[in-house]
Amino acid sequence: MKFDAPASDNPIDRLKVVGQPVDRIDGPRKTTGTAPYAYERHEVVPNQAYGHVLGAGIAKGRITAIDASAAKAAPGVLAVVTTLDMPRLEKGVTNTASLFGGPDIQHYHQAIAVVVAESFEQARDAAAMIRVGYAPQRGRFDLTAEAPKAELASADSGAPPQEDRVGDFEGAFAQAAIRLDETYSTPDQSHAMMEPHATIAAWEGEKLTIWTSNQMIAWGKRDLARTLGLPAENVRVDSPFVGGGFGGKLFLRADAVLAALGARAAGRPVKVALTRPLMANNTTHRPATIQHIRIGAAPDGRITAIAHVSLSGDLEDGGPETAVAQTKLLYAGRNRLTALRLAVLDLPEGNAMRAPGEAPGLMALEVAMDEMAERLGMDPIEFRVVNDTQVDPDDPDRPFSQRQLIECLRHGAQRFDWSRRAATPGQRREGRWLLGMGVAVGFRNNLVMASGARVRLDRDRGVTVETDMTDIGTGSYTIIAQTAAEMMGVSLDKVTVHLGDSSFPASAGSGGQWGGNSATAGVYAACVKLREAVAGRLGFNSAEAEFVEGMVRAGNRGVRLGDAAGADGLTAEDKMEYGDLAKRYQQSTFAGHFVEVAVDAATGESRVRRMLAVCAAGRILNPKSARSQVIGAMTMGVGAALMEELAVDTRRGFFVNHDLAGYEVPVCADIPHQEVIFLDEVDPISSPMKAKGVGELGICGVGAAVANAIYNATGVRVRHYPITLDKLLEGLPATM
Amino acid sequence: MRPFTYERARTAAEAAVAARRPHAKFIAGGTNLLDLMKLQIETPTHLIDVNGLGLDRIEPTADGGLRIGALVRNTELAADERVRRDYAVLSRALLAGASAQLRNKATTAGNLLQRTRCPYFYDTAQPCNKRQPGAGCAAIGGVTRQLAVIGASEACIATHPSDMAVALRALDAVVETVKADGATRSIAIAEFHRLPGDTPQVETTLEASEFITGVILPPPLGGRHFYRKVRDRASYAFALVAVAAVVQRDGTGRVALGGVAHRPWRVEAAEATLPRGAKPTMAGILDGARPSHDNAFKLTLAERALASILAEARAEP
Ligand SMILES: Cc1cc2nc3c(=O)[nH]c(=O)nc-3n(C[C@H](O)[C@H](O)[C@H](O)COP(=O)(O)OP(=O)(O)OC[C@H]3O[C@@H](n4cnc5c(N)ncnc54)[C@H](O)[C@@H]3O)c2cc1C
Ligand code: SF4
């Protein structure tokens, strides 16, 4: 089915099941520990052995020798595969560095060997016996030091790198009455999801099956086949449950490749989980940015000039963090400049993490906006309202499909008691605590991706949906079941959903907050086909047939839906594809984030007291799971604001704090009352579901709202994240 | 983790004798030792389980203090009525540490002997004098935000991570031990942990195979007890700086610091200035500090944390 005109009325609009805050249908399996996660799938294949990955102990250089004799002789060891035993592997389309490094080492903890043994402990012990000789080389590990050598980069690989310009930024900025010219920075961050990357691999002749934890099944299958030089049809990938990914599992990673190589060497199925220390340096991370922002405005607050240039680093052939994405679209202003600069670094591979681009971009832009509002003597909300735009500022003929940003801010201000905020910072005190409020805008573009599904109707077993869509904790199972139930006119318990298997139709997958809307739209398409098949079998005119309460009705005839299936059942498969609506309209999601913090006047410890997000993001398919997405994202935003930072050793070239003791993320005690409001919105431009994404919108802007609240509390403006207490101490009130 | 053999000791003396075996280690709660064994930072070949020795009681001593058995869990110690009433600084320090689950397992002796959280110590691909004497120290000149500002050496700049030990230092506790030959001794807490010097791998004055039987708290000090642990998140994090203080009505008192040195840091001579406020006192306590660019803030932070304690001490009855 092709979606190339705005959606008209359709069965989803009935909202009997869709739009309802139903519980997760996979909840009981998760709470009883019976949802199968990759590493624990003991039953899928017998005789599983354990693999342990050895990561390189240097960041750059060459392996001169590997002595694995002690490891091979260690108790329980079945096989040792080192990178020197192998011809160099192909690289997956989505991988920047090789997943099995060597003899050249591209980054710290790049995988260089896998040991397979009867037990996990034996494999780990033997891996430590491998002696590796290195010839280290000097690397480039310091973004600031490499900045002068950075080059212009493009957001889309393929497009020529260029500055994006509208009007005459320099001229307008020079003449602006009120100006801001500041530099902000965000650190490298780790996804730090609960479940590590994990895979069980089994060969049957030349056919390979992996049970794994991956957000994008079709990409994983393609890249695994490519890496191992197999025909794609020989590879099956199964990932029904994913214990968090946040972008860290978008791509094929070393666990899958080394489980497959280990299994081939051992002649047995092998399971591999990356250990926590490997996750930071072996896999991907959100790259650090240094962002230069200039804004010029007239005294009435209207922005006349805005420029945002973001620098980040990556390995050779890598890409930039697209931290200026929102600045192209968020505020009006006639003269504009955005650009990305990219430096080559020999740190581990930078890549997508929840809301790549906007998350770090807004951490800078929305602090800059707060600073501008102060210079203008305006309330930060009014300043944003004055600069709202209903069209793409680059191309005024392209309207936003929906844009309720002002409504988000106004509604939030009222709900949060914004009027109690002191306009002058450092005014409110409660015992040892300095109190402050901050606001920031959340903005994330909505992407639509082609997505397929197969739907089956059985006489007694109801409706079964199969798609390779994944549920990374987001609630995909549930919203897909809701979609099928709504379309087929049955209750939720009559729908069974199977996900994450590459033998199912390829879906949008989970990434870029496109999964919810796109995957359900694919299910919608398949259900439309199934409805036609049902109507056809019953001799109904399919345009007139109504699917309600387990019945199919047309005119005065009514048939039980199951009966229409017949003895063999009915199956339909389709795929939703998209025309050029996304070109003609700008599709984005919006939020107002409000935060109140308390800062210890003596020690500078910042503790968040209240948080509110007001979101406008199309139809909310399930307010309960959507809320969970947003509060989780807000939590991650607090982490980004206050504590998360992969600490770079710029001499040795690695992230030093590579475990959850050193890489701090918020704990329960850090997260106070969180409130989420979804504004009523349907977006017929996005898909027949009229929905958009929320999972990434929730993090966008939160960091800046926290930063602005800390400024309001203390009068100390911190432009370099995370805002740890050492950056506040000098500006806090004197003690005795 | 290396393969190891295992035995359960039945008496403290027996445990000390068993520990004469090369590469033997005691295991109590296991919350630190097992993590380090998994990473092959500790590689004992023999474990002596000391959980069944009955050293899990808190008893009054003849002079009005308390004897805490070596195997008393952190949770029980923190909750003990006498500790909460008379040694609140200790109770608060314990509750500021780790998580409830860990405190349920962690023991008094194990807590004293927990090893540093220096991130380079945790990465066996990095040179570390504490892990591998003579290998060099990767931390010096590297990421040092958490590391020591005082008492460090050219060989090691790690800190001792315990909260409990900081409170014990303020209380002048005494560690009681037994050796393999049956001899017992009492080690003042001030003498128990060492500075790194040229031998950062030697962290205490315990002898090989010497076994801790308990910790003695002297009679109560009175005064108001504070434990201010400053950290980047609200819970479940090691201290950037921790201040244990016992402040008397007349403004005199004691101060010990955590998070700044290779052992709980206390300078008794500097406490004389406590009635004059945090600035002179902390200047005395941290005299000779040699922080790095990344952790110089700890000096200001320690002073400000103490100032806020003193303000609180003055404000309330
Ligand atoms: C995630 C995490 C967070 C933590 N956070 C904190 C924190 O914030 N603050 C804090 O203070 N601590 C913290 N800890 C450390 C925790 O307090 C220690 O792990 C615990 O106290 C160790 O006690 P244990 O009984 O488990 O020791 P074990 O691990 O059993 O032993 C530790 C060492 O003591 C030796 N030993 C044990 N008993 C004796 C004895 N009787 N005589 C001689 N030697 C003995 C062992 O041989 C071993 O070398 C944390 C730990 C973890 C894992
Ligand atoms: S500071 Fe001490 S523990 Fe850390 S790396 Fe150096 S020697 Fe090892």
Side-chain angles (χ1 to χ4, degrees):
Chain A
M1 178 178 278
K2 183 128 186 190
F3 184 73
D4 48 13
S8 50
D9 284 354
N10 67 46
I12 296 294
D13 296 323
R14 297 184 292 186
L15 298 181
K16 288 199 163 70
V17 198
V18 169
Q20 302 302 318
V22 300
D23 289 347
R24 275 164 204 264
I25 62 170
D26 50 333
R29 297 180 79 185
K30 287 192 169 161
T31 49
T32 55
T34 51
Y37 287 91
Y39 201 73
E40 293 138 23
R41 300 189 71 182
H42 313 296
E43 77 304 335
V44 290
V45 57
N47 208 23
Q48 299 171 8
Y50 293 81
H52 190 83
V53 176
L54 181 67
I58 61 166
K60 192 170 170 64
R62 269 181 85 78
I63 299 176
T64 53
I66 297 183
D67 176 3
S69 51
K72 284 181 178 152
V77 170
L78 301 166
V80 178
V81 184
T82 79
T83 172
L84 300 187
D85 308 335
M86 302 269 314
R88 207 180 164 83
L89 298 174
E90 264 303 310
K91 235 172 44 186
V93 175
T94 54
N95 300 122
T96 306
S98 176
L99 296 179
F100 204 23
D104 293 318
I105 297 301
Q106 293 168 284
H107 62 82
Y108 197 72
H109 276 173
Q110 190 173 23
I112 56 171
V114 60
V115 178
V116 180
E118 292 287 353
S119 77
F120 169 72
E121 287 75 12
Q122 288 170 328
R124 184 174 56 184
D125 183 36
M129 296 177 193
I130 299 177
R131 294 285 152 258
V132 186
Y134 296 107
Q137 286 162 15
R138 280 177 74 93
R140 297 151 289 186
F141 307 123
D142 185 344
L143 181 60
T144 309
E146 296 304 316
K149 280 178 261 165
E151 293 187 1
L152 267 183
S154 151
D156 326 304
S157 52
Q162 59 176 27
E163 291 183 329
D164 249 315
R165 287 181 171 275
V166 180
D168 167 21
F169 167 76
E170 282 80 2
F173 184 66
Q175 279 166 23
I178 311 289
R179 276 195 299 251
L180 167 132
D181 182 341
E182 294 289 355
T183 299
Y184 305 82
S185 67
T186 63
D188 296 286
Q189 292 177 345
S190 186
H191 305 87
M193 60 282 189
M194 192 77 93
E195 182 201 29
H197 302 78
T199 298
I200 300 172
W203 293 86
E204 246 181 291
E206 279 304 293
K207 285 188 187 295
L208 172 66
T209 302
I210 62 165
W211 295 271
T212 190
S213 183
N214 189 296
Q215 299 174 225
M216 300 292 296
I217 301 304
W219 294 359
K221 174 177 162 147
R222 176 198 63 200
D223 280 348
L224 183 57
R226 195 178 147 107
T227 303
L228 298 177
L230 297 171
E233 61 270 19
N234 282 12
V235 174
R236 188 183 145 218
V237 175
D238 188 35
S239 178
F241 287 92
V242 178
F246 307 123
K249 294 175 182 163
L250 284 170
F251 317 116
L252 178 74
R253 297 301 317 171
D255 56 311
V257 174
L258 294 195
L261 294 178
R264 189 147 67 188
R268 269 171 72 171
V270 167
K271 59 163 67 176
V272 169
L274 296 187
T275 56
R276 190 59 68 177
L278 278 185
M279 288 170 68
N281 288 286
N282 177 276
T283 77
T284 60
H285 66 278
R286 190 201 298 282
T289 64
I290 299 174
Q291 303 180 42
H292 182 203
I293 296 182
R294 286 165 290 169
I295 304 177
D300 65 358
R302 243 171 272 271
I303 293 175
T304 54
I306 183 164
H308 190 168
V309 179
S310 170
L311 165 74
S312 58
D314 203 359
L315 289 165
E316 208 96 50
D317 300 328
E321 177 70 22
T322 57
V324 303
Q326 70 291 322
T327 310
K328 293 177 194 289
L329 292 161
L330 193 45
Y331 298 114
R334 231 172 248 156
N335 304 287
R336 318 174 70 87
L337 162 62
T338 53
L340 298 171
R341 300 182 67 77
L342 180 62
V344 177
L345 292 181
D346 298 301
L347 289 172
E349 179 174 337
N351 217 313
M353 180 167 141
R354 201 173 201 169
E358 282 99 328
L362 285 162
M363 285 167 79
L365 178 65
E366 285 298 287
V367 172
M369 289 295 286
D370 202 65
E371 297 195 62
M372 267 308 273
E374 188 179 32
R375 289 179 197 191
L376 285 155
M378 285 176 85
D379 178 87
I381 292 178
E382 293 314 316
F383 177 49
R384 288 170 171 94
V385 169
V386 165
N387 288 292
D388 190 49
T389 172
Q390 293 292 319
V391 297
D392 175 351
D394 266 17
D395 179 0
D397 294 334
R398 259 183 98 229
F400 282 90
S401 60
Q402 294 279 349
R403 178 166 165 135
Q404 298 198 69
L405 175 58
I406 295 181
E407 292 78 357
C408 289
L409 292 170
R410 292 257 190 257
H411 193 76
Q414 193 196 2
R415 189 69 168 232
F416 204 68
D417 274 338
W418 180 251
S419 57
R420 281 178 38 219
R421 169 181 176 270
T424 316
Q427 300 295 302
R428 285 175 62 210
R429 187 154 181 162
E430 189 186 283
R432 39 189 265 237
W433 299 101
L434 303 168
L435 302 186
M437 284 195 213
V439 70
V441 164
F443 172 94
R444 173 74 173 150
N445 281 331
N446 184 59
L447 301 171
V448 285
M449 298 277 274
S451 195
R454 185 156 57 221
V455 205
R456 187 180 161 82
L457 177 67
D458 285 297
R459 178 178 285 171
D460 302 314
R461 270 177 291 142
V463 179
T464 305
V465 186
E466 292 175 339
T467 163
D468 85 358
M469 178 61 188
T470 47
D471 190 323
I472 61 175
T474 43
S476 309
Y477 277 103
T478 311
I479 56 172
I480 283 172
Q482 287 174 274
T483 304
E486 194 76 76
M487 288 300 289
M488 302 312 296
V490 298
S491 55
L492 201 56
D493 60 340
K494 295 289 186 300
V495 182
T496 309
V497 181
H498 297 297
L499 298 181
D501 187 330
S502 63
S503 63
F504 300 154
S507 72
S510 299
Q513 84 169 7
W514 63 60
N517 177 48
S518 300
T520 53
V523 174
Y524 170 96
C527 286
V528 168
K529 256 205 179 155
L530 183 61
R531 287 164 59 111
E532 285 165 5
V534 168
R537 180 164 288 183
L538 297 175
F540 289 178
N541 176 342
S542 77
E544 278 168 26
E546 274 194 286
F547 291 70
V548 220
E549 289 169 8
M551 301 288 290
V552 198
R553 292 210 179 84
N556 51 12
R557 281 184 62 199
V559 179
R560 209 178 69 87
L561 182 64
D563 292 340
D568 300 337
L570 275 175
T571 303
E573 181 176 332
D574 202 5
K575 181 177 182 183
M576 183 63 80
E577 291 172 294
Y578 295 87
D580 68 349
L581 282 174
K583 283 213 179 71
R584 289 194 276 139
Y585 295 87
Q586 176 56 40
Q587 295 182 32
S588 305
T589 59
F590 299 88
H593 283 290
F594 294 80
V595 170
E596 184 170 51
V597 297
V599 180
D600 188 306
T603 63
E605 290 161 289
S606 296
R607 304 288 182 241
V608 174
R609 287 210 165 169
R610 287 191 297 143
M611 304 182 80
L612 165 68
V614 184
C615 306
R619 171 175 282 154
I620 299 304
L621 301 172
N622 180 333
K624 195 173 200 170
S625 53
R627 177 179 183 278
S628 294
Q629 279 300 294
V630 176
I631 62 174
M634 289 157 79
T635 302
M636 223 163 166
V638 171
L642 297 180
M643 61 193 86
E644 288 187 43
E645 171 172 24
L646 283 167
V648 186
D649 186 316
T650 54
R651 310 156 307 161
R652 292 169 178 270
F654 73 112
F655 301 127
V656 172
N657 51 343
H658 48 52
D659 58 37
L660 290 178
Y663 187 84
E664 290 183 14
V665 298
V667 294
C668 293
D670 292 298
I671 300 303
H673 182 69
Q674 295 175 305
E675 192 180 354
V676 181
I677 295 168
F678 295 107
L679 296 187
D680 272 339
E681 184 173 300
V682 285
D683 193 337
I685 306 293
S686 75
S687 83
M689 303 304 294
K690 304 174 186 171
K692 292 188 281 204
V694 295
E696 298 190 329
L697 176 65
I699 190 176
C700 294
V702 175
V706 174
N708 294 339
I710 290 174
Y711 174 73
N712 185 242
T714 62
V716 184
R717 182 64 81 180
V718 180
R719 301 187 183 89
H720 305 284
Y721 293 94
I723 308 175
T724 45
L725 56 91
D726 44 301
K727 299 172 188 169
L728 296 172
L729 280 178
E730 299 301 328
L732 294 178
T735 53
M736 295 214 353
Chain B
M1 186 178 279
R2 288 287 156 79
F4 57 86
T5 51
Y6 170 91
E7 75 178 283
R8 295 202 80 139
R10 280 168 307 179
T11 65
E14 195 183 292
V17 171
R20 279 199 301 208
R21 209 164 136 168
H23 308 296
K25 275 218 155 263
F26 304 117
I27 180 162
T31 59
N32 191 225
L33 182 60
L34 286 176
D35 281 1
L36 295 171
M37 286 170 67
K38 289 174 190 171
L39 294 166
Q40 301 216 348
I41 295 164
E42 298 267 19
T43 51
T45 54
H46 184 65
L47 287 187
I48 303 152
D49 185 337
V50 297
N51 282 286
L53 302 187
L55 297 171
D56 52 2
R57 279 185 295 277
I58 306 171
E59 296 159 323
T61 57
D63 66 353
L66 286 179
R67 172 180 281 107
I68 304 161
L71 273 298
V72 170
R73 307 288 154 174
N74 287 177
T75 297
E76 284 158 48
L77 184 56
D80 186 273
E81 207 184 303
R82 293 159 294 184
V83 174
R84 290 180 51 182
R85 185 186 60 224
D86 298 331
Y87 306 96
V89 64
L90 175 58
S91 182
R92 287 179 187 143
L94 284 161
L95 292 175
S99 66
Q101 293 89 335
L102 284 159
R103 294 193 298 268
N104 287 341
K105 287 297 275 181
T107 64
T108 309
N111 192 320
L112 278 175
L113 293 176
Q114 65 174 292
R115 305 202 66 192
T116 184
R117 293 282 162 171
C118 167
Y120 297 90
F121 174 74
Y122 270 82
D123 187 334
T124 48
Q126 298 300 321
C128 166
N129 288 323
K130 192 184 273 298
R131 227 187 316 103
Q132 232 186 327
C137 168
I140 295 174
V143 175
T144 56
R145 185 165 183 268
Q146 297 274 349
L147 302 182
V149 294
I150 195 162
S153 70
E154 296 302 315
C156 178
I157 56 171
T159 58
H160 194 270
S162 170
D163 290 298
M164 182 191 83
V166 181
L168 291 183
R169 182 71 180 86
L171 293 170
D172 277 337
V174 175
V175 181
E176 292 195 325
T177 70
V178 58
K179 297 190 217 181
D181 63 6
T184 59
R185 62 171 180 147
S186 302
I187 311 169
I189 188 79
E191 306 301 323
F192 185 78
H193 292 105
R194 292 179 73 256
L195 289 180
D198 293 336
T199 53
Q201 73 278 15
V202 186
E203 290 165 358
T204 66
T205 49
L206 284 181
E207 291 170 19
S209 89
E210 190 167 358
F211 178 76
I212 299 176
T213 50
V215 171
I216 305 290
L217 298 182
L221 289 172
R224 302 202 50 215
H225 290 218
F226 298 87
Y227 192 76
R228 181 69 50 87
K229 181 176 180 181
V230 187
R231 44 189 157 174
D232 289 322
R233 65 179 170 192
S235 173
Y236 208 32
F238 290 95
L240 293 166
V241 165
V243 183
V246 178
V247 186
Q248 305 295 343
R249 257 174 200 290
D250 61 4
T252 62
R254 302 175 174 193
V255 181
L257 302 185
V260 297
H262 200 255
R263 64 180 188 207
W265 193 256
R266 182 169 167 207
V267 179
E268 279 86 343
E271 289 165 1
T273 54
L274 201 56
R276 288 178 24 224
K279 208 178 218 19
T281 308
M282 204 49 82
I285 294 174
L286 292 174
D287 184 31
R290 285 178 50 205
S292 72
H293 172 74
D294 285 354
N295 63 24
F297 74 91
K298 287 188 179 188
L299 308 185
T300 316
L301 182 59
E303 184 198 306
R304 294 182 67 96
L306 179 61
S308 113
I309 286 174
L310 297 180
E312 204 175 319
R314 279 192 302 270
E316 285 171 40

